[in-house]
């Protein structure tokens, strides 16, 4: 993996998810769009939790 | 400071409901029609004959009508007093004293600290500038991220080493994962601070141009005003599908001396954030024009929900609060790293990090 991809792959994916989540609830009419938005915007929080759990285990 | 005061503000409505001691609304069937708005305005005038009616606000969420009054229409908003009515019975539920003289609520204090440090426009512009610096700091963090994570695996927090390295790793992890959210909330926060100047620009340019045909005419006296209820109904008929949120009386800072300014909004997720004002001739009650909002006020309106996080139910608010907490930790750890920095050039510190791997 190139250094750029190694460093920025996850941050860019999370940024993409975040932007999707922010827009989904704004443009979508409730229902499934809200749920998608909650899932997408939880991804940074889930990532933090997973990384902290992983480094505690290591 | 902005992040800390912002945290309770995410739950502004819930805290307000929880702390308020307002009398409950009358228990009435859901289809009960609204009481006459002019009767409520008359009640407000009788109770406070020394005040000028500023606007009538009709809530679409609760059966609530609020009549705002000012000592004079060019007075400071902190001097405004409000009467809250039950929209169906037209009975007064509560008198809300001017912010300048009543004890501030918890929400008031948080909002003023967050928005303008109790100083209105200067404080707002100052905090807007602080917001810009916050964005600059975030961007500098992006620039420094790549050299500082070096060859580490994404998201590793090295706990066995010095506290400095642990906090550096935490700072990087929390900062880079929340990056997009932080940038969006930061940019929209700065835009929100510009609300007052943007509305002033709109008033001085577009609105002035619209009411130019009326220049030289004598503004209507109080007893010449057409009924408020009629203005409300006319706009509802003119713009079916839009919700009328408020009727602003002529002669205020925003709008015209000759017109009612009636604010309407759409009914869908996005359009309910986009307001369209309608000008009605205050004497005849006829629609003068449905005003198109300029792009900068549209941008302001879209940036509000993206800053407040109040557009996706309670789960979104909780996510907003957690992301805000993460941001507070990024700022805290950044401050710690900066205070405990060694007085060595950045290249030396990078070399040290690389050697440690």
């Amino acid at each position: 993996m190139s250094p750029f991809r190694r460093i920025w792959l996850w941050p860019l994916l999370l940024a993409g998810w975040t932007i999707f989540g922010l827009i989904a609830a704004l443009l979508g009419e409730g229902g499934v769009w809200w749920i998608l938005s909650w899932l997408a915007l939880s991804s940074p929080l889930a990532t933090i939790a997973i990384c902290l759990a992983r480094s505690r285990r290591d | 400071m902005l992040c800390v005061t912002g945290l309770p503000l995410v739950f502004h409505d819930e805290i307000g409901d929880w702390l308020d001691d307002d009398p409950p609304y009358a228990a009435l069937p859901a289809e009960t029609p609204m009481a006459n708005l002019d009767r409520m305005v008359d009640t407000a005038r009788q109770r406070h004959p020394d005040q000028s009616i500023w606007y009538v606000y009709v809530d679409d969420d609760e059966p609530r009508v609020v009549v705002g009054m000012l000592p004079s229409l060019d007075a400071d908003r902190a001097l405004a007093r409000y009467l809250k009515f039950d929209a169906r019975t037209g009975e007064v539920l509560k008198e809300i004293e001017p912010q300048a003289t009543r004890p501030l609520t918890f929400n008031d204090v948080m909002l003023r600290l967050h928005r303008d440090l109790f100083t209105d426009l200067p404080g707002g512009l100052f905090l807007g500038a602080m917001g810009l610096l916050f964005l600059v700091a975030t961007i500098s963090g992006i620039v420094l991220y790549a050299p500082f994570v070096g060859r580490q695996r994404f998201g590793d927090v090295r706990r066995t080493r010095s506290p400095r390295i642990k906090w550096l790793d935490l700072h990087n992890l929390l900062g880079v994962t929340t990056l997009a959210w932080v940038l969006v909330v930061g940019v929209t926060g700065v835009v929100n601070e510009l609300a007052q100047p943007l509305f002033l620009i709109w008033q001085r340019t577009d609105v002035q141009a619209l009411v130019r045909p009326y220049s030289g005419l004598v503004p209507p006296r109080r007893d010449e005003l057409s009924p408020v209820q009629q203005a409300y109904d006319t706009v509802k008929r003119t713009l079916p599908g839009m919700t009328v949120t408020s009727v602003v009386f002529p002669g205020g800072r925003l709008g015209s001396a000759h017109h009612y300014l009636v604010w309407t909004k759409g009914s869908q997720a996005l359009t309910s954030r986009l307001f369209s004002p309608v000008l009605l001739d205050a004497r005849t009650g006829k629609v003068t024009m449905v005003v198109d909002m300029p792009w900068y006020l549209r941008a302001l309106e879209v940036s509000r929900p993206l800053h407040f996080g109040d557009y996706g139910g309670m789960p979104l608010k909780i996510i907003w609060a957690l992301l805000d907490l993460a941001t507070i930790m990024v700022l805290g750890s950044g401050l710690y790293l900066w205070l405990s920095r060694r007085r060595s050039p950045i290249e030396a510190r990078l070399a040290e990090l690389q050697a440690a791997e």
Side-chain angles (χ1 to χ4, degrees):
Chain A
M1 227 193 301
S2 74
F4 180 85
R5 261 188 76 181
R6 184 173 47 76
I7 292 175
W8 289 109
L9 179 66
W10 278 108
L12 286 175
L13 278 175
L14 288 169
W17 269 112
T18 304
I19 300 295
F20 168 78
L22 289 171
I23 293 173
L26 195 61
L27 298 183
E29 288 297 316
V32 69
W33 290 106
W34 276 22
I35 295 168
L36 286 176
S37 162
W38 301 335
L39 290 176
L41 283 172
S42 303
S43 62
L45 298 167
T47 308
I48 294 170
I50 290 168
C51 288
L52 289 179
R54 190 181 67 186
S55 47
R56 180 166 295 153
R57 205 174 51 231
D58 287 353
Chain B
M1 200 284 287
L2 289 172
C3 287
V4 171
T5 53
L7 190 58
L9 285 176
V10 173
F11 303 104
H12 183 268
D13 290 344
E14 287 75 16
I15 294 172
D17 286 346
W18 178 55
L19 291 179
D20 88 20
D21 51 357
D22 294 11
Y25 297 109
L28 291 168
E31 295 85 39
T32 312
M34 209 170 76
N36 190 296
L37 292 173
D38 289 287
R39 236 190 70 209
M40 299 185 224
V41 168
D42 286 342
T43 306
R45 283 204 175 111
Q46 278 156 21
R47 285 202 179 204
H48 301 286
D50 54 328
Q51 305 271 317
S52 300
I53 304 291
W54 178 19
Y55 66 78
V56 177
Y57 166 78
V58 182
D59 203 332
D60 65 332
D61 201 27
E62 304 173 30
R64 172 170 73 141
V65 170
V66 177
V67 176
M69 288 163 276
L70 283 165
S72 66
L73 285 177
D74 53 0
D76 186 346
R77 282 171 183 207
L79 300 173
R81 57 166 53 250
Y82 305 90
L83 269 185
K84 176 177 164 184
F85 292 88
D86 188 311
R88 291 90 33 96
T89 63
E91 298 298 317
V92 176
L93 290 178
K94 194 182 188 184
E95 282 261 6
I96 302 161
E97 299 291 318
Q99 207 181 59
T101 53
R102 75 176 139 90
L104 294 178
T105 64
F106 176 75
N107 270 340
D108 287 337
V109 174
M110 289 300 134
L111 183 63
R112 298 296 310 267
L113 281 174
H114 191 78
R115 195 182 59 196
D116 58 15
L117 297 170
F118 297 95
T119 60
D120 213 26
L121 188 57
L125 293 177
F126 172 74
L127 288 183
M130 288 296 114
L132 275 181
L133 288 180
F134 171 78
L135 288 171
V136 171
T138 308
I139 290 164
S140 75
I142 303 174
V143 174
L144 288 174
Y145 178 73
F148 268 92
V149 290
R151 275 190 291 276
Q152 263 177 271
R153 192 168 53 147
F154 170 78
D156 265 351
V157 180
R158 293 163 291 180
R159 282 167 182 272
T160 47
R161 308 195 182 239
S162 74
R164 230 191 106 73
I165 284 183
K166 191 180 85 181
W167 279 108
L168 172 66
D169 288 352
L170 262 179
H171 182 79
N172 283 335
L173 169 63
L174 293 173
V176 88
T177 48
T178 58
L179 190 58
W181 181 83
V182 166
L183 286 176
V184 168
V185 173
V187 169
T188 53
V190 171
V191 173
N192 271 309
E193 292 290 17
L194 297 176
Q196 258 200 73
L198 290 180
F199 270 104
L200 270 180
I201 290 172
W202 180 63
Q203 172 72 22
R204 298 242 170 96
T205 55
D206 294 14
V207 180
Q208 285 301 324
L210 290 176
V211 300
R212 195 157 297 140
Y214 286 78
S215 64
L217 298 180
V218 182
R221 291 190 314 270
R222 179 193 281 191
D223 56 350
E224 290 178 310
L225 293 179
S226 60
V228 186
Q229 186 67 47
Q230 185 191 319
Y232 179 87
D233 293 338
T234 304
V235 173
K236 269 190 117 166
R237 261 199 320 278
T238 312
L239 297 174
M242 300 290 274
T243 306
V244 179
T245 59
S246 63
V247 181
V248 183
F249 275 59
R253 278 190 195 168
L254 203 60
S256 135
H258 308 272
H259 294 83
Y260 282 121
L261 179 65
V262 181
W263 290 96
T264 66
K265 63 177 187 179
S267 49
Q268 290 180 316
L270 180 64
T271 58
S272 71
R273 304 290 173 164
L274 303 179
F275 292 84
S276 291
V278 183
L279 288 173
L280 289 96
D281 187 300
R283 274 200 187 88
T284 64
K286 296 224 166 64
V287 173
T288 304
M289 127 170 303
V290 180
V291 186
D292 272 328
M293 294 288 261
W295 64 270
Y296 50 87
L297 290 182
R298 285 279 177 247
L300 170 68
E301 290 171 330
V302 173
S303 71
R304 278 180 177 149
L306 287 172
H307 188 71
F308 303 153
D310 61 351
Y311 62 106
M314 185 42 95
L316 191 70
K317 291 190 179 190
I318 293 170
I319 290 169
W320 227 256
L322 291 172
L323 288 168
D324 186 37
L325 280 174
T327 308
I328 292 173
M329 284 192 66
V330 174
L331 293 170
S333 56
L335 192 63
Y336 164 78
L337 291 168
W338 182 74
L339 288 173
S340 70
R341 72 195 181 283
R342 270 158 266 166
R343 312 255 167 219
S344 53
I346 205 160
E347 290 78 9
R349 274 184 281 154
L350 282 173
E352 184 194 344
L353 272 175
Q354 275 151 17
E357 278 175 14

